[in-house]
Amino acid sequence: MNKKNVCISALFVLLFACAFAQEKENANSQNELQEVVVSDSKFALAKEKSGKVITKITAEELKNKSGQTIAAILNTVAGVEINGNQSVAGKNLGYYIRGGKNSQVLILIDGIPVNDASGISMEYDLRLLPAEQVESIEIMKGAASTLYGTGAATGVINIRLKKAIKKNLVANGYFNMGTNATATHQNQKAADFNQGFSVNGSVNKVTYFTALNSTETKGISQIAPPNLNVSYEDDPFSRLNYLAKVGYSLTDNLTLDFFGNYDQIKNDYDGGFDNTGTSDTHLNSTSSKQFRLGFSPKFKYVKGEFILNSSFNKLVRSYDEFDTYSNSVGFAQYESRSVSVDGFNKYEITPSFFLVSGVQYQFHDANSVTPYGNISKESTKFNMIDPYITGVFTTKVGFNLNAGARWNSHSAYGNQLVYNLNPSFDFKLLPLKIISSYSTAFVTPSLYQLYSQYGNAKLTPEKNNTAEIGFETELYTKKIRWNVVGFYREQTNFIGFYFNPTTYASNYINIDGLNKAKGIETEIQFTLSDKVKWNSNYTFTQVDEALNRLIPKHKINTSVDYKISDSFFWTINYQYVDARKDAFFDGNTYATAQVKLASYQVLNTLARYEIIKRRLSVFCSINNIFNVDFVENIGYSTLGRNYKLGLTINL
């Protein structure tokens, strides 16, 4: 364990010594609004009045998934595929919802969009964020550009971070460690260490929350055999996170919230830009450093509420890569800045009808220094100004309607109008709600796609039209909850990468034609008793050939939760992932071969025991119990059977 871990462990001890006398937090205080969602209107809305099937992962459910990454947790949600979550910790992730790719999935942190403006797809890297800082997650599938703008074409993942509670001082600390091995190279030594602590509370009109988290993982090569002898290879991964939140209640109606965080990941990786594994000597390394600052005032008045979400985000990625041909190390660095200011207002016209209106401003720029050329931020930038309006109408008879429009004014490609229509009907005499929607969305070309050495300033946005219909029902006095949603999505102006094998010239282009995706998503929750609960979901996704990469046609998740006693919780979960298509790029021959990855099944289990009620708990988990050897990405290592032990203390 390195010096950083030792320092954190020392802070652990100091924290416990200083805070031992403090009262415990009421475990239910953070779960008061479990049946309230915010993603489809930006304001708290009773779930039965929402016209969407929104999956919410609560604080209690996150606690029962201790030791998992955010990517692994999201990968169990119906309709969501997070590729790379079962590979080496440093492996990049792919986000696939309803046949969409990374650039079509928008990630929010506390309602604020996050991304990397220097990246090819501008997506946010979920590896930067530890699950231990998260309070809850909402996943809303389908086009949502009306409320959230570009990028929200196939889904929105809204991550809510933990916040202060109404105690003067509350402290929390955790430590867990586990193995990190593949199915073919089982190693039972501890190689995965996670630790952190937080302090939060309220003093008069001030609230505060601070947290420090650290991860150190080693023991696996990113490249899988036979390309590399992994017994002599180790691609370590490390992460460090600092988070601070301060709130001030100026009056009973006006609150001022500030936040700041610093996130850093470092890892080694193999090969060059292919997956042939040409290096086993730790000469290839990369790091990402993220700085975020924000200010969010909230003002409540008689018939409504106004919120201003503002943030500044700077991200720096660097690569040190060994070139076996020139026997030298090349350095590349990408830097981006993003500003988002979103002011929106809820006004209640009648008790059954309210309007959400707002204006969002976004600015992005990027620069890079690479062996292949530099990009200047003076010429690599764009901004957007989006006015939008949404109306939410509910009735006592059960009819609900959410409808809105957004006008996007983009400095690079002009204007874009999107809209949504989302009627639903909640039968009062029957435990049944019918939902339907039709939404349009768009995806802005990234700065890299527009202005890099492979860029094309004539690119136009990808456009999406999505229709869905389904139902939610509760049976046997809410012991059974079941929903089914079918969707159909059309996409035009698909942005692809063109490579000329004769001239070696390459650039991004809009591909003509219409690409379609359709599917069914269903979830069922069966409460067998006060102690036993069964959860399952199934996803069927069928996409046209142009979109068909790493998207399973069939996917199943099922789990059984057993509350053995008030202190003892146990769960076992199963996942089936159907066959997928992938592409193997050989950096030596510049040839790309299409491959088909076999389906796979994994079984995981976790047990958690509260030694001292709400104060001291331990957990033990086993992932991939039967040590199944499967391929998640062609050429890359995949996790086998691994064990993890953890301890959490609340003071």
Side-chain angles (χ1 to χ4, degrees):
M1 190 178 296
N2 63 18
K3 292 181 179 179
K4 182 170 67 177
N5 292 347
V6 173
C7 291
I8 290 181
S9 300
L11 286 172
F12 242 136
V13 176
L14 179 61
L15 174 68
F16 298 154
C18 294
F20 186 78
Q22 300 300 318
E23 296 182 11
K24 63 181 177 293
E25 174 184 356
N26 187 333
N28 294 324
S29 64
Q30 301 285 335
N31 284 327
E32 296 173 354
L33 300 179
Q34 287 189 14
E35 296 303 310
V36 170
V37 294
V38 298
S39 296
D40 63 342
S41 66
K42 289 195 172 183
F43 290 92
L45 183 68
K47 197 171 183 179
E48 64 269 17
K49 295 182 179 180
S50 171
K52 290 277 193 177
V53 173
I54 297 177
T55 301
K56 184 167 184 178
I57 304 173
T58 65
E60 184 67 21
E61 290 168 332
L62 288 172
K63 187 166 62 174
N64 293 334
K65 299 178 184 292
S66 297
Q68 296 188 30
T69 64
I70 294 176
I73 293 168
L74 288 171
N75 197 50
T76 63
V77 174
V80 178
E81 170 69 13
I82 308 294
N83 182 268
N85 82 94
Q86 302 192 84
S87 299
V88 178
K91 176 74 174 65
N92 60 299
L93 302 173
Y95 316 144
Y96 303 96
I97 296 179
R98 294 191 170 179
K101 54 185 178 180
N102 290 34
S103 61
Q104 296 168 314
V105 178
L106 182 65
I107 296 176
L108 309 173
I109 295 181
D110 290 332
I112 300 174
V114 287
N115 48 48
D116 176 6
S118 68
I120 295 175
S121 299
M122 289 186 67
E123 82 272 13
Y124 178 76
D125 189 348
L126 282 171
R127 296 174 301 169
L128 284 165
L129 186 62
E132 289 79 11
Q133 287 186 358
V134 176
E135 173 67 25
S136 65
I137 306 174
E138 283 186 10
I139 302 96
M140 182 174 68
K141 288 154 287 184
S145 281
T146 300
L147 277 177
Y148 297 105
T150 178
T154 62
V156 173
I157 299 173
N158 191 0
I159 300 171
R160 295 281 175 177
L161 300 184
K162 292 179 179 179
K163 56 185 179 181
I165 66 167
K166 296 179 181 179
K167 298 282 186 180
N168 287 341
L169 177 63
V170 174
N172 168 277
Y174 71 93
F175 173 78
N176 60 64
M177 64 180 181
T179 60
N180 192 43
T182 66
T184 55
H185 289 76
Q186 281 284 291
N187 186 341
Q188 304 310 315
K189 293 182 179 180
D192 182 18
F193 299 91
N194 297 270
Q195 50 273 312
F197 65 86
S198 65
V199 178
N200 73 94
S202 303
V203 180
N204 297 324
K205 294 184 177 183
V206 177
T207 63
Y208 62 93
F209 180 93
T210 60
L212 170 63
N213 304 84
S214 172
T215 297
E216 296 288 342
T217 304
K218 57 183 179 180
I220 296 181
S221 165
Q222 192 176 86
I223 297 298
N227 296 316
L228 195 65
N229 183 355
V230 297
S231 62
Y232 298 100
E233 171 66 347
D234 183 14
D235 288 321
F237 171 86
S238 67
R239 179 176 59 209
L240 187 62
N241 306 90
Y242 299 94
L243 171 65
K245 288 184 172 184
V246 177
Y248 180 70
S249 297
L250 198 62
T251 68
D252 291 341
N253 297 326
L254 177 60
T255 59
L256 308 176
D257 293 313
F258 304 84
F259 74 84
N261 68 275
Y262 170 78
D263 307 300
Q264 175 184 292
I265 57 175
K266 293 182 179 180
N267 64 276
D268 289 354
Y269 63 97
D270 290 312
F273 46 86
D274 60 4
N275 46 9
T276 57
T278 57
S279 172
D280 61 351
T281 57
H282 295 261
L283 291 177
N284 300 323
S285 63
T286 179
S287 70
S288 293
K289 299 177 182 180
Q290 176 183 246
F291 309 84
R292 291 182 68 235
L293 298 170
F295 171 53
S296 296
K298 301 177 180 65
F299 177 68
K300 294 182 179 181
Y301 54 97
V302 176
K303 287 194 173 184
E305 182 178 0
F306 175 79
I307 297 175
L308 179 67
N309 282 337
S310 63
S311 70
F312 169 78
N313 182 29
K314 180 179 179 179
L315 201 144
V316 180
R317 288 181 292 117
S318 62
Y319 298 85
D320 286 298
E321 186 167 285
F322 183 74
D323 188 337
T324 56
Y325 302 104
S326 63
N327 198 33
S328 62
V329 175
F331 175 79
Q333 180 170 289
Y334 300 83
E335 181 177 321
S336 67
R337 299 183 301 177
S338 297
V339 175
S340 176
V341 181
D342 188 9
F344 51 98
N345 180 75
K346 173 187 176 182
Y347 183 76
E348 186 178 289
I349 298 175
T350 70
S352 60
F353 179 48
F354 66 85
L355 284 175
V356 176
S357 57
V359 177
Q360 183 177 14
Y361 169 80
Q362 294 185 70
F363 169 83
H364 305 282
D365 71 6
N367 67 277
S368 64
V369 178
T370 75
Y372 313 105
N374 303 335
I375 301 174
S376 170
K377 64 183 178 183
E378 283 73 26
S379 58
T380 311
K381 59 185 177 181
F382 60 58
N383 63 74
M384 294 169 280
I385 301 177
D386 302 13
Y388 59 93
I389 186 168
T390 291
V392 179
F393 177 64
T394 62
T395 66
K396 293 182 179 180
V397 297
F399 176 73
N400 306 310
L401 177 64
N402 183 316
R406 185 183 189 106
W407 181 261
N408 176 272
S409 179
H410 193 287
S411 61
Y413 64 80
N415 300 320
Q416 183 76 33
L417 175 68
V418 293
Y419 60 90
N420 79 288
L421 187 65
N422 180 201
S424 62
F425 193 87
D426 187 9
F427 291 88
K428 298 300 181 181
L429 299 179
L430 298 172
L432 177 66
K433 181 173 71 172
I434 303 296
I435 66 167
S436 62
S437 72
Y438 180 80
S439 306
T440 64
F442 67 100
V443 179
T444 303
S446 69
L447 290 169
Y448 191 89
Q449 291 168 336
L450 286 171
Y451 304 120
S452 72
Q453 63 267 37
Y454 307 110
N456 179 359
K458 296 181 180 180
L459 288 175
T460 59
E462 296 178 349
K463 297 182 179 180
N464 286 258
N465 302 314
T466 301
E468 66 177 5
I469 188 168
F471 69 85
E472 285 186 311
T473 186
E474 295 181 342
L475 305 171
Y476 298 104
T477 61
K478 298 186 178 182
K479 287 187 177 181
I480 297 178
R481 296 186 176 186
W482 181 32
N483 66 64
V484 179
V485 176
F487 71 89
Y488 174 80
R489 183 172 67 88
E490 293 182 344
Q491 176 178 303
T492 57
N493 295 341
F494 179 74
I495 297 175
F497 189 74
Y498 174 74
F499 173 72
N500 189 321
T502 303
T503 64
Y504 297 104
S506 55
N507 66 315
Y508 290 95
I509 61 172
N510 285 110
I511 299 175
D512 294 333
L514 179 68
N515 294 296
K516 301 180 292 296
K518 58 185 177 181
I520 297 173
E521 301 156 357
T522 181
E523 301 171 300
I524 186 168
Q525 180 185 99
F526 190 7
T527 304
L528 299 170
S529 68
D530 293 339
K531 294 186 176 182
V532 182
K533 185 182 293 184
W534 173 57
N535 295 279
S536 288
N537 64 64
Y538 165 73
T539 305
F540 167 79
T541 308
Q542 183 172 314
V543 297
D544 285 349
E545 189 63 28
L547 308 178
N548 191 11
R549 184 180 176 192
L550 296 173
I551 299 176
K553 191 171 186 178
H554 305 280
K555 187 175 179 180
I556 299 171
N557 293 285
T558 187
S559 66
V560 176
D561 298 341
Y562 182 24
K563 192 175 181 180
I564 300 172
S565 68
D566 290 342
S567 301
F568 195 7
F569 171 85
W570 173 76
T571 184
I572 186 167
N573 60 79
Y574 163 86
Q575 184 176 81
Y576 168 81
V577 178
D578 200 17
R580 293 132 290 129
K581 291 185 177 181
D582 199 357
F584 181 88
F585 176 72
D586 190 332
N588 298 315
T589 64
Y590 295 97
T592 299
Q594 301 298 318
V595 296
K596 185 176 182 179
L597 306 180
S599 63
Y600 65 89
Q601 307 172 66
V602 291
L603 191 68
N604 311 309
T605 188
L606 177 144
R608 181 173 54 82
Y609 183 72
E610 290 190 346
I611 299 173
I612 302 175
K613 191 67 173 178
R614 301 192 185 111
R615 282 187 180 270
L616 177 63
S617 64
V618 295
F619 80 86
C620 174
S621 66
I622 308 174
N623 291 327
N624 195 355
I625 294 174
F626 294 109
N627 199 35
V628 178
D629 187 13
F630 62 95
V631 178
E632 189 178 28
N633 283 109
I634 186 67
Y636 289 91
S637 297
T638 307
L639 297 173
R641 183 194 299 116
N642 283 287
Y643 306 87
K644 185 166 285 189
L645 296 171
L647 169 74
T648 300
I649 300 178
N650 299 301
L651 301 170

